[in-house]
Amino acid sequence: MARMKTVTISIALLGMCTFASAGSLRSAITSSHGKIQRAMKNRDTAAFTKAFRPVTTKDFKYVEDGKTMSFDEMVKNMDMGFKSMSSVTSSDSKIVSVKETGKTGVAMMTHKMKGMMTGPDKKPHTMEFGGSSRDSYVKVHGKWMMTKMEWTATDMKMDGKKVDPSKMGGG
């Protein structure tokens, strides 16, 4: 479970980000919310990729705990995380703030996800993930595209108790 945090936080949180069409950055973020939330709840990596890839730049970067991943690396980790969970019971994100400056923008977001997984003890456990991200955007041909998602805070709980994913086993 050494990659537990990256894998599960990727699933829990990145998927909760929302993106899309032209107009204000706030409306672009809001417009794809439903599709991405459904993909997350269904643990559907293909649906997530189909909804998310078209609204990220080719050089998109995902940053967590100082580690940078490409889009494909992020999705690979998400898929591993999806497979570790038996269900996702809730998934949501909220816009805290949005700032547009010409063709660039930044959204501060909060994210929460809850689901079930079987632990190393072979028993079912409720997992909760949350955190905040700073999402950077650029407008390309009139469409807002995410260039970077960087976690500013993360939180993980198992059965209601805070856990440190780096100490959950593995190496």
Side-chain angles (χ1 to χ4, degrees), residues 50-169:
K50 185 177 179 182
F52 189 66
R53 187 180 295 273
V55 294
T56 60
T57 59
K58 288 182 182 6
D59 63 347
F60 168 81
K61 299 294 179 213
Y62 173 83
V63 182
E64 181 182 328
D65 290 334
K67 296 175 189 147
T68 301
M69 289 181 235
S70 68
F71 182 91
D72 291 335
E73 291 166 327
M74 175 198 71
V75 171
K76 181 180 177 184
N77 283 336
M78 285 182 60
D79 190 52
M80 289 181 349
F82 280 149
K83 289 174 181 170
S84 75
M85 298 186 76
S86 57
S87 68
V88 174
T89 55
S90 65
S91 171
D92 199 17
S93 63
K94 303 259 188 257
I95 298 170
V96 174
S97 66
V98 175
K99 181 174 179 165
E100 289 181 45
T101 307
K103 293 185 176 192
T104 63
V106 173
M108 300 303 293
M109 306 287 294
T110 60
H111 311 276
K112 292 182 183 181
M113 186 176 113
K114 190 173 185 178
M116 298 299 297
M117 71 181 303
T118 302
D121 59 2
K122 307 295 183 209
K123 295 179 182 178
H125 295 279
T126 301
M127 296 300 296
E128 296 176 63
F129 311 96
S132 303
S133 67
R134 181 181 193 274
D135 303 346
S136 300
Y137 296 84
V138 63
K139 209 171 208 184
V140 178
H141 304 295
K143 181 178 178 180
W144 286 106
M145 306 286 282
M146 183 184 264
T147 61
K148 184 178 184 181
M149 179 179 190
E150 184 168 13
W151 290 101
T152 58
T154 57
D155 183 51
M156 179 189 279
K157 293 179 183 174
M158 179 185 284
D159 300 328
K161 296 178 184 172
K162 190 170 182 158
V163 295
D164 179 350
S166 69
K167 297 179 180 172
M168 291 182 70

